[in-house]
């Protein structure tokens, strides 16, 4: 990865400071450790992760030199219970950035997935540091499958995951994608205010492949089937249950059934 090619194309505060590692346990773990000392917008970027982490305790496949693994330090003025919005905002920024650079119709799947044709091309892991019911730091971890060969995924993931190279047949330089993602996060993060957050939700709805579909949602407490009706102003999923009632869900694992 050529850091200068990223830095010269950064327009805002996100990515003004970038710490690059050839190899790291997990950029989210490092970011959590160094959060207090890092100014807002600091990015931890790695070429390889030995212990890449996905949501719900999963492993994030992170081989060297092919993909994007980065974590961004944010300090949003929102309550921890509204933190879904951070992931939603980041997913909007990533999907738009990937569309801008590659031309692929990248879509968002609630809550944190980036998809091409129903296959996952990237994911977001948001982790919080809180004090007295306030967010002191939010770490937005972003993983994008750029040039990984689909054969390097474990067997059970081959049907569900993809990479930009797998879709186009050619390698994609990672630097312009990193810069565009950071610039888009800079742009969308600024709208994470009570008055403007509606624009994030609207953008997410325009980018998503989830809404209107029959889905199964697995939360830590229960497994629910229903129709993914909408997301609310804080990024929570509104699920229409077979009984006709609707339920707001903060986070979970969603599978589209049709
Ligand atoms: C998911 O879809 O489960 C979220 C994946 C997030 C992966 C990224 S890669 C950079 C950052 N460091 C990690 O260990 N995880 C996130």
């Amino acid at each position: 990865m050529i850091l200068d090619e990223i830095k010269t194309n950064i327009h805002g505060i996100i990515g003004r400071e970038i710490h690059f590692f050839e190899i790291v346990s997990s950029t989210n773990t490092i970011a959590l450790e160094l959060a207090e000392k890092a100014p807002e917008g600091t990015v931890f970027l790695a070429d390889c992760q030995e212990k890449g982490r996905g949501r719900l305790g999963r492993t994030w496949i992170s081989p060297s030199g092919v993909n994007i693994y980065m974590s961004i330090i944010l300090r949003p003025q929102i309550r921890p219970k509204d933190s879904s919005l951070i992931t939603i905002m980041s997913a909007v920024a990533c999907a738009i950035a990937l569309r801008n650079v590659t031309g692929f119709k990248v879509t968002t799947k609630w809550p944190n997935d980036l998809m091409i044709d129903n296959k996952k091309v990237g994911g977001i892991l948001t982790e919080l540091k809180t004090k007295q019911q306030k967010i002191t730091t939010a770490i937005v971890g972003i993983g994008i499958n750029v040039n990984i060969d689909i054969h390097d995924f474990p067997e059970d993931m081959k049907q569900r995951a993809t990479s930009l190279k797998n879709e186009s047949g050619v390698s994609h330089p990672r630097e312009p994608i990193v810069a565009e993602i950071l610039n888009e996060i800079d742009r969308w993060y600024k709208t994470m205010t009570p008055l403007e957050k509606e624009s994030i939700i609207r953008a997410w709805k325009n980018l998503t492949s989830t809404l209107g579909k029959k889905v199964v949602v697995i939360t830590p407490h229960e497994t629910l089937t229903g129709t993914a009706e909408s997301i609310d102003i804080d990024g929570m999923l509104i699920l229409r249950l077979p009984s006709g009632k609707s339920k707001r869900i903060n986070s979970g694992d969603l599978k589209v059934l049709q």
Side-chain angles (χ1 to χ4, degrees), residues 2 19 28 67 107 120 145 172 194 214 232:
I2 305 163
H19 299 279
N28 263 41
N67 293 336
T107 59
K120 182 157 166 166
N145 299 329
H172 295 254
K214 255 200 125 198
D232 74 5

Side-chain angles (χ1 to χ4, degrees), residues 25-29 44 49 51-56 58-60 62 68-71 112-113 120 122-125 140-144:
S25 54
S26 145
T27 56
N28 263 41
T29 306
F44 297 89
Q49 297 187 119
K51 289 190 176 152
R53 297 189 283 115
R55 284 174 68 245
L56 311 169
R58 295 184 186 129
T59 298
W60 188 258
S62 309
I68 294 169
Y69 319 110
M70 64 179 172
S71 302
N112 75 316
D113 293 345
K120 182 157 166 166
I124 295 158
L125 174 67
V140 175
I142 299 170
I144 310 287

Side-chain angles (χ1 to χ4, degrees), residues 3-254:
L3 216 48
D4 274 349
E5 280 187 20
I6 301 171
K7 284 186 172 161
T8 50
N9 289 305
I10 294 296
H11 306 313
I13 67 144
I14 308 294
R16 196 169 281 169
E17 212 176 284
I18 301 179
H19 299 279
F20 177 71
F21 304 83
E22 293 285 348
I23 190 160
V24 82
S25 54
S26 145
T27 56
N28 263 41
T29 306
I30 293 285
L32 280 166
E33 278 167 22
L34 302 177
E36 258 105 82
K37 296 190 193 83
E40 185 166 51
T42 301
V43 171
F44 297 89
L45 176 70
D47 211 35
C48 172
Q49 297 187 119
E50 287 180 315
K51 289 190 176 152
R53 297 189 283 115
R55 284 174 68 245
L56 311 169
R58 295 184 186 129
T59 298
W60 188 258
I61 308 290
S62 309
S64 177
V66 284
N67 293 336
I68 294 169
Y69 319 110
M70 64 179 172
S71 302
I72 306 166
I73 302 277
L74 298 179
R75 305 222 152 77
Q77 303 289 317
I78 60 171
R79 289 161 299 181
K81 76 170 190 53
D82 298 331
S83 64
S84 307
L85 188 63
I86 304 169
T87 307
I88 294 290
M89 179 280 293
S90 307
V92 166
C94 288
I96 292 176
L98 288 172
R99 284 181 179 213
N100 289 349
V101 179
T102 69
F104 282 121
K105 190 173 175 273
V106 176
T107 59
T108 55
K109 180 165 92 67
W110 188 86
N112 75 316
D113 293 345
L114 299 163
M115 314 291 288
I116 298 178
D117 280 344
N118 289 325
K119 290 191 173 185
K120 182 157 166 166
V121 70
I124 295 158
L125 174 67
T126 303
E127 295 183 296
L128 303 179
K129 287 202 140 194
T130 60
K131 208 178 202 172
Q132 286 153 2
Q133 304 294 320
K134 288 210 170 110
I135 296 175
T136 51
T137 308
I139 315 287
V140 175
I142 299 170
I144 310 287
N145 299 329
V146 181
N147 295 317
I148 187 172
D149 192 314
I150 208 74
H151 299 106
D152 292 337
F153 282 120
E155 212 46 52
D156 61 320
M157 278 177 63
K158 283 182 183 150
Q159 300 296 319
R160 290 181 287 121
T162 191
S163 69
L164 298 175
K165 184 178 176 184
N166 188 54
E167 295 297 317
S168 63
V170 295
S171 287
H172 295 254
R174 289 171 293 166
E175 293 83 355
I177 303 175
V178 171
E180 187 71 2
I181 289 176
L182 298 178
N183 288 332
E184 284 295 326
I185 297 228
D186 191 78
R187 174 177 150 219
W188 287 97
Y189 182 50
K190 286 186 187 132
T191 70
M192 237 176 75
T193 63
L195 279 180
E196 286 181 286
K197 64 182 178 180
E198 173 69 39
S199 67
I200 299 172
I201 302 297
R202 210 178 315 127
W204 189 91
K205 286 180 183 168
N206 282 330
L207 289 163
T208 195
S209 51
T210 308
L211 298 184
K213 303 260 171 71
K214 255 200 125 198
V215 298
V216 177
V217 186
I218 302 166
T219 78
H221 322 287
E222 55 194 341
T223 298
L224 298 162
T225 306
T227 305
E229 199 165 68
S230 192
I231 59 165
D232 74 5
I233 191 68
D234 297 309
M236 291 200 208
L237 180 72
I238 303 174
L239 185 71
R240 175 73 61 182
L241 301 170
S243 67
K245 283 192 183 149
S246 60
K247 189 167 177 132
R248 278 177 162 58
I249 304 171
N250 183 30
S251 83
D253 211 20
L254 179 146

